[in-house]
Amino acid sequence: MTASSTRIRRAACGLSAALALALAPGTPSLARPVAEQAGRVAAPTPGSNSGGDPYFPLYGNGGINVSSYDLNVRYNPTTDVLTGRATLRIRAAKDLSRFNLDLVGLTVRSVTVGGRKAGWKRSRDHELTITPSAALRKNARFTVVIAYDGKPRKNNSSLGSSGFHPTPDGAIAVGQPEAAAFWFPVNDHPKDKATYRITLTVPKALQTISNGLPSATVVSGDWATTTWQHKHPMASYLAFMAVGRFDVRRYTAAGLPIIDAVDPSIPANVRRAINTSFALQGRILTSSSQWFGPYPFETAGGVVDNVQLGFALENQTRPIYDPRFWGDEKEAFVNDSVVVHELAHQWYGDSVALQRWQDIWLNEGFATYAEWMWVQQEDGISTADIFDDFYDNIPASEPFWKVRIGDPGPDRVFDYAVYARGAMTLEGLRQKVGRDTFLKILQTWTREHRDGHGTTKQFITLAERISKRQLDAHFNAWLNTASRPPRPANARRNTSKAQRQAARAYVLRWHADLQRRLAAGHHR
């Protein structure tokens, strides 16, 4: 779709024009020549319409780095219309003639760059191409304001549903590997983290939940407005909004303000099970901080809406869960584990984000291993026994061992093996280097990469530096081979029959819980 008919003007090269423009508040700097060869001057060029990730080439864009999003969103569940105004603060990573953002389905009404009207067009139902009135110089910092509206939609794919999900009394915007582009214009790839300020206006009978901490709600006529602000940089797919009726509980645990929101229309027995698991969050965060280092954010909590998502997702500071994780109060053994899993992601996946989707095991393997550590602490089932159960009860011929979790491919980023074999990779590392060195590796990783990114290569380098051991063979066998690796040399094999039976019971329940969701194309 093409909207604005504004023709794009090339920046004047004269010094006087550049100075005049530079004096205008909020106006981006004109581009200057970036190269001269044989008397020819290289002109500014377009930013790429891809973030360069081979797994998901439509996600993200090149040539820009977004530092912050200020989103002002009004949503009316009765009409299912969302009206938004997004203010993005951006740095040009190169001399730009134009640049792209991701936006799916919604209608753009206006775009300004540096306070001036900009040209824009839509393409491929995903790309918003913006051409400023003057080309942008490398490292120039500028503000983009986009007004937009429409009926947002969700996306169903082999990886599960994502985007904007209507609920009986409102909606939630959530999903992985993409969700943000379905409700605001965004550079939609984890490598471009930014801070977020999200202002949500909804009918006054409803409530909103989002990332970070809220302001006081202001009521005006039939509408209520709350601003949610999170001061740490965040990957775009972790930004979320929930609108509806919630029982909201605010309290302090592990020294943090906790905000939990549970839909009161969920059956009472399920809500009791949810609240029992949520009551453990303080203990989980305290234990996780001992394993992984200080909790990286200013608040925590959880959201359960009465909608069948098919997954739980680690939205930064406040994961959201499908209520079916709590089908029965007797299932707390598994139900608590999903909370452990999503809270572990606050360190592994949120604070330390992916640079590329290929390294997804750094998120899911670590969060799964956190579940094993919790079960060891709470139920006395050792991580070594859990490892042995997986190893001994998954035959070498099973497809599980065929997945190279260090590069699983875009269709298998949430494969069962990424979770379990990822956790086995970490347990094998622990057995090689010892518990104290292992915990030092985990804590150093979260400290050195806090609020940033990490890759598999960087993790291996760190593990070798701290352990003073060469670990390529271990990681290559567990991450990059399509076969069952040899059992670690110093693996435990002298456990009792009772210990083995307890580990078997845990693994069977964990396996059934995860497989049921993955079989439907869902993940957690």
Side-chain angles (χ1 to χ4, degrees), residues 361-431:
W361 84 276
L362 288 172
N363 290 13
E364 301 304 345
F366 282 58
T368 301
Y369 193 76
E371 295 182 59
W372 295 11
M373 296 175 81
W374 177 257
V375 168
Q376 178 174 264
Q377 173 182 286
E378 297 297 305
D379 299 283
I381 304 171
S382 74
T383 57
D385 286 340
I386 296 172
F387 174 98
D388 284 347
D389 190 89
F390 274 101
Y391 195 93
D392 294 338
N393 289 289
I394 302 179
S397 60
E398 284 293 307
F400 175 88
W401 299 111
K402 305 299 182 186
V403 181
R404 295 180 174 90
I405 67 168
D407 189 3
D411 294 330
R412 307 190 83 165
V413 290
F414 303 118
D415 192 274
Y416 173 63
V418 172
Y419 294 72
R421 190 167 170 173
M424 294 177 78
T425 302
L426 293 171
E427 173 59 18
L429 176 64
R430 186 197 66 79
Q431 293 181 17

Side-chain angles (χ1 to χ4, degrees), residues 68-75 82-89 148 164 173-174 179-180 183-186 194-202 207-217 224-232 234-243 298 315-318:
S68 70
Y69 294 86
D70 192 343
L71 307 177
N72 200 315
V73 172
R74 175 182 290 232
Y75 178 67
L82 182 150
T83 303
R85 179 182 175 89
T87 301
L88 286 64
R89 292 170 179 82
Y148 60 100
F164 207 84
V174 66
W183 62 289
F184 65 93
V186 58
T195 58
Y196 283 77
R197 183 174 184 267
I198 301 174
T199 299
L200 300 173
T201 300
V202 299
Q207 296 156 293
T208 65
I209 309 291
S210 190
N211 310 89
L213 292 168
S215 66
T217 298
T225 300
T226 306
T227 296
W228 295 79
Q229 190 152 358
H230 180 40
K231 63 184 181 182
H232 291 268
M234 178 165 62
S236 54
Y237 76 92
L238 300 171
F240 85 104
M241 59 172 281
V243 176
E298 72 274 25
N315 306 308
Q316 197 155 306
T317 71
R318 198 153 292 115

Side-chain angles (χ1 to χ4, degrees), residues 53-56 354 356-362 401-415 417-418 421-422 425 456-457 460 475-482:
D53 193 315
Y55 277 26
F56 304 108
L354 296 174
R356 56 184 188 178
W357 283 105
Q358 173 184 329
D359 292 327
I360 186 64
W361 84 276
L362 288 172
W401 299 111
K402 305 299 182 186
V403 181
R404 295 180 174 90
I405 67 168
D407 189 3
D411 294 330
R412 307 190 83 165
V413 290
F414 303 118
D415 192 274
V418 172
R421 190 167 170 173
T425 302
T456 296
K457 182 178 179 181
I460 295 171
F475 284 107
N476 186 58
W478 283 94
L479 300 179
N480 302 321
T481 60

